[in-house]
Amino acid sequence: MPGPPAVINLTEDSDASELDADDFDDVPLETSEAPDALDDVEVDAHPYAMYYTNAAEPESVQDSGMQIVLEQEQAPNTPKKRGVQWTSQDRKNRVLVHQISVLSLLAAARMRNQWCNDIELRDTLQDMVPEHLVQKLFAIHPRREPERRERVRMFEGFVHDLVQWWASRFRLTDVSAAAWRQPSQELLCGKHLPPETWVDGWITESPAARMKRQRQVRKSKSRGAMEIAIFPPGAAAATPTYLRLLPPPDAHSLQRTVAAAKKMAGCRETSAILFCAMCRALGVPARLVVSLQPPPASIGAAKSQGTRKPALAQRSEEVTTSDEDDFEPLVRLRGSRALELERAQGAKPYYIEPVDTRTPPTVWVELFSKPYQHWITVDPVRALVRPTGNKHMEPLATNRQNKLMYVVGFEEDGYARDVTARYTRVLNSKVVQQRPEAPGRTKGHGVQEWWPSVVRALHRPQKLDRDAAEDAELQDNAAREPMPSSVGSFKNHPVYILDKFLRRDQVIHPPNRVGTFQGMPVYLRANLVHLQSARQWYNEGRTIKEGEHALKWVKTRGYTLYNKRVEEQAMTEHGQVPTEGLYAYTQTTLYTPPPVQDGKVPKNAFGNVDLYVPSMLPAGGVHIAHTAAAKVCRSLGVAYADAVVGFEFRKFRSIPRMLGVVVPSEHAASVWKAIGHAAEQEKRAELQKRQARALKGWKHLLTALTVARHIEEQYRAPQQAAPSEKKRVLNEAQAERQLRDDVPALKPMCASPLVPPPSPPPSPPREKSIVSLDELMAKEDARPSKRRIVVRRSTPEVRPARKSTRRAAANARGNIRYMDD
DNA sequence: CTGCTATATGCTTCTTTGCGAGGC
DNA sequence: CGCCTCGCTTTGAAGCATATAGCA
């Protein structure tokens, strides 16, 4: 998880994302507003160092109890080859995590950009600027210096001096712990980290330690720490790694940012944020530029990164020489008090991979030079001022902590602009391809790409002149990127494409060649056209225009048994592979079905109406989307046609999915009415049927009892035989009830409310055991006439209705009381 | 060692209108 | 007789992403 988004505030950004809500089903998410409670903490003394021990957590550490559990579906065991077997769900998760990270980072950056407008912060910073610099700035005015070229030079000189002054004054602290950089890949790649390891501002916990902490939290009734459980990728069930969030080390609130300004000390990112605020205070249009560092969207990228990283497991002094990137000694994030605590508990220091402040940053500033009418790139940490930035802000490909993927500049008014093109020379060949939904992954026409939609939400709705000029500049920058130098890199290239990478349903139209590579013509991806067969277009409610010729002929791909047979037959008869023509969208037109004429709905060859999309409804017709519609139409004598709304595929056979009928519009109302009527009647009939079944059951039972009594009367043996006889009869009765087990719960005909069955009802106290059926029936006769019949399956008592005219039924599952009417 | 290419492998997508027996 | 339900039918190929080996 990336460090910065201590607070997530998604507004427009969340609208821009095309994340399916379903994807979040498994993520129980509870958030609450997180007030800034650490504001009074000193910036200098590693404000969170004291929390780095397992000592009791101050209540202010975490305000929201948030739990994110990305669970994976249990899949059947697949034989493990080596390493982790990635499932398709893992891949989807990676993209999702990437996208959520990007949005979160944007939100975090936007919030910091807002802080730059804070009056107190601006005043604090403005007061610090030396007088001679302020004078230098004021001197740049058309009235004082009419020569524009001179003003351009003066502005650059001013910015240069300002940056020099800033870099010499601002003290860098907390650099590594607070760095905005690539999150570590170990966990995402399924590597197990030992407990008490620092991971991007989180700390790993052993299950036991977690339980213990949670017990303490419960006892003290305080809010728990924010924690997540990360499951390793792969199909096999595994134990997650538990992470607890540490307090953010950087100036994560406005108050702390102001404090950092007063101290003129903080991390690299804080330096850039404060510099931006200062420039705005001086009246110079300034952008806060952020190179977002989300985890990679593809597994391959993450894997190669993750495996090459030095083992974070070793966390002590010896790690300092583990990597060539390590220029700084081990960062010990300890205050003196924390160190004491640590010594007392025998804890080890956390290892945090260092950051080299000489490498390109992930946060910097752009200043708008009014005389030059261009944005100037400024890195206040390395004291760099450059009219163009790509050489100095692009990290090396080998840099694992900083990957240039999205660079966004936030302006004073809160709008942002995608300025990635300014800072990379490999925008199309590398950068774009790292984003999800790169050209190779999207398909078809009209597919919304994710990042462009995010950018649209960030950009100013109406372009300023300088925005338009910048767009041209950035486009020019991108256009200067050279053509790929290998066949492979043409694949999925966002600008160019070779014939050989065209898919079955793609064609270049118009086929304007823009170059040649190894003898192959090179085309622009912009001219790529997605094609579909006539049938496919028909399924979307479109037909091929008159006189259009197919742009491409391809081998048919019969899927159903029928079509396969047809293909085979064609093969044997003509000796050539059957082909079908493919057409572009522009060659099609909306399909208009023949209209309803003389009250008749025109049918197709199958005797129904194709209604795959609403536009395929014949003129003068109405779709009655009700399953009972056909029956009603038949009885009413209304001409109708079944509506086919789609297909289902089972066992290589396509089955039309029917839903309702199409009728002439003049009959629609009457058909709907009849449907309502029929439904009511059906309901009544159903009820009657159930009652008839219940009555039959009762009749059966009573007959059985009568017969039993007759038999008993005729063949009764002297006294002793009676009990066993009674038992037999009762068993019979019970079997009878079991036969009726499927009788559904009967709703009363009248409107009396159905009382839910009290469960389980106490058995009614029995006065004394019944010895014979005679006794039983005599008892029944003796009872006062009751309007309520209770049948309890659990009791071997049988209390049939005395009069056969009484309608009665019982739910064989027992204990449902039926109110007779 | 890195980057490129070819090959192997495993997963995903594409597809687009039955029939007859028997019961009610 | 008409309508409904049930059971049987069959079980691919292309395309794509990724992993891996080999080569320059």
Side-chain angles (χ1 to χ4, degrees):
Chain A
M1 293 293 117
V7 182
I8 297 175
N9 176 17
L10 294 177
T11 51
E12 292 159 60
D13 302 338
S14 57
D15 293 337
S17 76
E18 295 182 356
L19 306 174
D20 195 330
D22 295 346
D23 292 336
F24 293 103
D25 276 351
D26 299 329
V27 189
L29 217 130
E30 288 171 54
T31 51
S32 61
E33 277 295 307
D36 295 314
L38 289 171
D39 303 324
D40 51 342
V41 185
E42 290 272 73
V43 177
D44 243 1
H46 298 306
Y48 62 109
M50 56 180 291
Y51 308 131
Y52 267 64
T53 63
N54 289 334
E57 226 159 38
E59 85 237 56
S60 58
V61 171
Q62 287 312 325
D63 320 281
S64 55
M66 181 191 210
Q67 236 183 341
I68 298 179
V69 182
L70 288 174
E71 278 191 73
Q72 51 201 350
E73 277 169 38
Q74 204 76 353
N77 287 347
T78 45
K80 266 196 183 172
K81 270 188 180 171
R82 84 189 70 157
V84 190
Q85 283 289 78
W86 299 83
T87 63
S88 68
Q89 189 57 48
D90 287 329
R91 289 177 221 288
K92 284 177 200 156
N93 283 348
R94 289 310 293 264
V95 172
L96 196 63
V97 166
H98 176 89
Q99 292 176 328
I100 293 172
S101 294
V102 167
L103 297 180
S104 308
L105 291 166
L106 281 171
R110 191 156 81 169
M111 181 165 283
R112 280 151 182 79
N113 179 62
Q114 267 167 19
W115 297 346
C116 290
N117 299 341
D118 181 68
I119 300 293
E120 189 193 352
L121 183 63
R122 285 187 173 194
D123 288 350
T124 307
L125 291 163
Q126 197 176 359
D127 291 347
M128 287 179 184
V129 183
E131 189 55 29
H132 72 275
L133 286 175
V134 179
Q135 290 305 323
K136 216 168 171 177
L137 175 65
F138 288 162
I140 312 167
H141 198 277
R143 244 179 269 157
R144 292 205 197 176
E145 177 52 65
E147 188 66 38
R148 179 166 169 263
R149 184 182 292 216
E150 184 59 22
R151 288 205 311 277
V152 169
R153 201 194 54 75
M154 282 169 74
F155 186 80
E156 248 176 73
F158 159 74
V159 172
H160 191 82
D161 289 356
L162 186 71
V163 169
Q164 286 294 337
W165 167 76
W166 179 268
S168 65
R169 279 290 312 276
F170 194 89
R171 199 154 43 87
L172 288 179
T173 60
D174 277 358
V175 171
S176 297
W180 294 24
R181 55 174 156 180
Q182 277 286 305
S184 39
Q185 303 293 319
E186 273 83 0
L187 284 178
L188 296 176
C189 291
K191 213 171 187 177
H192 178 72
L193 298 179
E196 305 291 301
T197 307
W198 190 92
V199 185
D200 305 321
W202 300 72
I203 189 93
T204 55
E205 267 185 321
S206 69
R210 177 168 168 268
M211 291 289 282
K212 195 178 157 197
R213 182 177 52 77
Q214 286 181 344
R215 263 202 303 277
Q216 277 178 356
V217 166
R218 268 198 297 277
K219 222 185 266 173
S220 62
K221 297 205 170 134
S222 59
R223 298 265 202 130
M226 193 183 285
E227 57 179 67
I228 50 175
I230 294 187
F231 285 83
T239 48
T241 306
Y242 295 106
L243 294 169
R244 175 167 53 89
L245 185 62
L246 291 168
D250 66 331
H252 75 289
S253 68
L254 177 57
Q255 284 84 347
R256 286 188 59 185
T257 307
V258 175
K262 286 176 177 157
K263 289 250 173 196
M264 279 297 269
C267 63
R268 199 158 57 148
E269 290 71 19
T270 304
S271 173
I273 291 165
L274 293 178
F275 186 84
C276 176
M278 183 184 69
C279 292
R280 286 182 191 172
L282 291 173
V284 179
R287 274 181 185 164
L288 183 65
V289 182
V290 180
S291 170
L292 307 180
Q293 301 295 322
S298 76
I299 281 167
K303 235 180 166 181
S304 59
Q305 268 181 52
T307 49
R308 280 181 209 167
K309 265 201 160 178
L312 272 192
Q314 334 163 277
R315 50 196 160 87
S316 58
E317 285 73 13
E318 75 233 37
V319 195
T320 40
T321 52
S322 67
D323 197 294
E324 79 277 359
D325 281 0
D326 297 359
F327 293 105
E328 284 181 291
L330 169 71
V331 181
R332 281 169 153 269
L333 293 146
R334 314 250 120 215
S336 57
R337 191 183 142 208
L339 216 60
E340 269 168 43
L341 273 168
E342 170 205 309
R343 286 211 186 100
Q345 298 182 345
K348 284 183 181 175
Y350 299 97
Y351 171 68
I352 298 176
E353 204 179 348
V355 165
D356 181 7
T357 49
R358 287 171 293 177
T359 59
T362 53
V363 182
W364 62 91
V365 175
E366 277 179 358
L367 300 180
F368 191 68
S369 165
K370 283 173 190 164
Y372 186 42
Q373 287 292 307
H374 274 89
W375 289 94
I376 296 177
T377 304
V378 177
D379 176 4
V381 173
R382 294 179 297 168
L384 286 175
V385 180
R386 291 292 183 282
T388 56
N390 61 17
K391 271 195 196 126
H392 305 281
M393 296 299 166
E394 186 161 25
L396 293 174
T398 52
N399 190 338
R400 296 181 321 269
Q401 306 197 350
N402 185 356
K403 297 276 172 213
L404 197 141
M405 268 186 269
Y406 311 91
V407 184
V408 177
F410 286 87
E411 295 188 18
E412 201 164 344
D413 56 6
Y415 288 113
R417 288 184 60 80
D418 174 18
V419 290
T420 316
R422 180 175 291 140
Y423 295 104
T424 176
R425 279 162 292 186
V426 289
L427 179 70
N428 292 320
S429 56
K430 290 265 155 57
V431 173
V432 172
Q433 293 184 40
Q434 287 173 3
R435 297 173 180 169
E437 298 181 26
R441 294 177 217 183
T442 57
K443 51 174 188 163
H445 51 280
V447 173
Q448 271 275 359
E449 280 191 40
W450 172 74
W451 176 243
S453 71
V454 174
V455 168
R456 265 196 299 285
L458 293 172
H459 276 197
R460 197 173 277 113
Q462 271 172 341
K463 274 192 202 173
L464 305 177
D465 285 349
R466 70 178 192 209
D467 295 338
E470 183 177 39
D471 279 345
E473 181 194 328
L474 295 177
Q475 236 166 42
D476 186 52
N477 210 347
R480 243 178 286 147
E481 190 178 331
M483 218 178 255
S485 55
S486 73
V487 180
S489 44
F490 272 99
K491 194 172 185 185
N492 293 345
H493 195 281
V495 178
Y496 304 108
I497 191 162
L498 296 177
D499 260 336
K500 65 185 289 185
F501 293 124
L502 283 178
R503 297 194 197 158
R504 197 187 95 109
D505 56 355
Q506 289 177 332
V507 78
I508 304 288
H509 191 80
N512 298 334
R513 145 202 304 232
V514 292
T516 307
F517 184 81
Q518 293 182 357
M520 290 175 282
V522 179
Y523 303 102
L524 289 179
R525 186 174 281 271
N527 292 345
L528 193 70
V529 181
H530 177 80
L531 305 176
Q532 284 191 325
S533 67
R535 172 73 213 194
Q536 282 171 313
W537 284 123
Y538 181 67
N539 288 337
E540 292 176 22
R542 305 191 69 83
T543 45
I544 313 300
K545 283 184 202 160
E546 194 81 23
E548 291 284 355
H549 295 289
L551 292 179
K552 197 174 184 177
W553 288 91
V554 293
K555 207 177 131 198
T556 53
R557 272 192 295 179
Y559 174 77
T560 56
L561 297 171
Y562 175 78
N563 280 343
K564 274 188 198 303
R565 233 168 274 148
V566 169
E567 273 175 38
E568 225 166 88
Q569 204 175 355
M571 266 291 270
T572 50
E573 273 176 27
H574 306 289
Q576 56 184 2
V577 206
T579 56
E580 61 181 343
L582 300 182
Y583 302 84
Y585 180 82
T586 50
Q587 293 180 291
T588 64
T589 176
L590 205 65
Y591 168 73
T592 40
V596 174
Q597 266 184 341
D598 311 325
K600 285 233 178 341
V601 182
K603 297 179 182 178
N604 63 15
F606 300 98
N608 47 39
V609 170
D610 298 323
L611 203 61
Y612 311 131
V613 288
S615 68
M616 292 174 88
L617 186 69
V622 170
H623 182 207
I624 306 227
H626 196 283
T627 42
K631 211 172 173 181
V632 167
C633 288
R634 268 196 303 279
S635 65
L636 285 181
V638 171
Y640 74 97
D642 289 311
V644 179
V645 294
F647 291 91
E648 264 172 58
F649 294 93
R650 275 205 298 261
K651 315 238 178 193
F652 295 90
R653 193 165 271 147
S654 71
I655 298 144
R657 203 147 36 94
M658 315 285 236
L659 179 62
V661 298
V662 173
V663 294
S665 44
E666 62 263 29
H667 297 307
S670 61
V671 170
W672 271 120
K673 206 170 147 192
I675 286 173
H677 192 70
E680 208 159 286
Q681 226 165 22
E682 174 119 340
K683 223 158 111 189
R684 225 171 311 156
E686 175 69 19
L687 193 63
Q688 263 171 7
K689 221 159 102 187
R690 276 196 300 193
Q691 282 175 341
R693 200 155 63 179
L695 278 175
K696 203 171 143 193
W698 278 108
K699 198 173 163 191
H700 227 106
L701 176 64
L702 293 175
T703 312
L705 288 171
T706 316
V707 171
R709 185 150 78 159
H710 278 305
I711 292 169
E712 202 181 355
E713 274 168 3
Q714 283 185 19
Y715 302 102
R716 174 152 39 168
Q719 289 305 329
Q720 315 88 305
S724 75
E725 179 67 11
K726 170 221 121 201
K727 220 180 202 170
R728 192 189 62 76
V729 172
L730 288 180
N731 282 345
E732 205 173 295
Q734 187 135 13
E736 186 72 28
R737 276 201 302 280
Q738 258 161 18
L739 280 176
R740 298 194 317 262
D741 256 0
D742 63 331
V743 176
L746 188 65
K747 283 192 193 134
M749 285 281 278
C750 62
S752 73
L754 191 68
V755 186
S759 64
S763 292
R766 218 184 285 169
E767 292 133 43
K768 62 172 200 177
S769 60
I770 299 158
V771 264
S772 77
L773 193 67
D774 276 338
E775 245 181 274
L776 174 85
M777 297 195 78
K779 241 184 170 54
E780 276 299 322
D781 285 346
R783 274 168 187 251
S785 171
K786 270 190 177 178
R787 291 172 62 79
R788 181 177 293 169
I789 294 166
V790 180
V791 174
R792 288 200 178 79
R793 202 184 169 194
S794 49
T795 10
E797 242 176 312
V798 182
R799 300 182 197 154
R802 201 162 48 95
K803 286 179 188 162
S804 64
T805 51
R806 181 171 287 172
R807 283 209 306 272
N811 183 337
R813 295 195 180 277
N815 304 339
I816 293 212
R817 285 186 287 175
Y818 172 65
M819 308 292 292
D820 204 351
D821 52 341

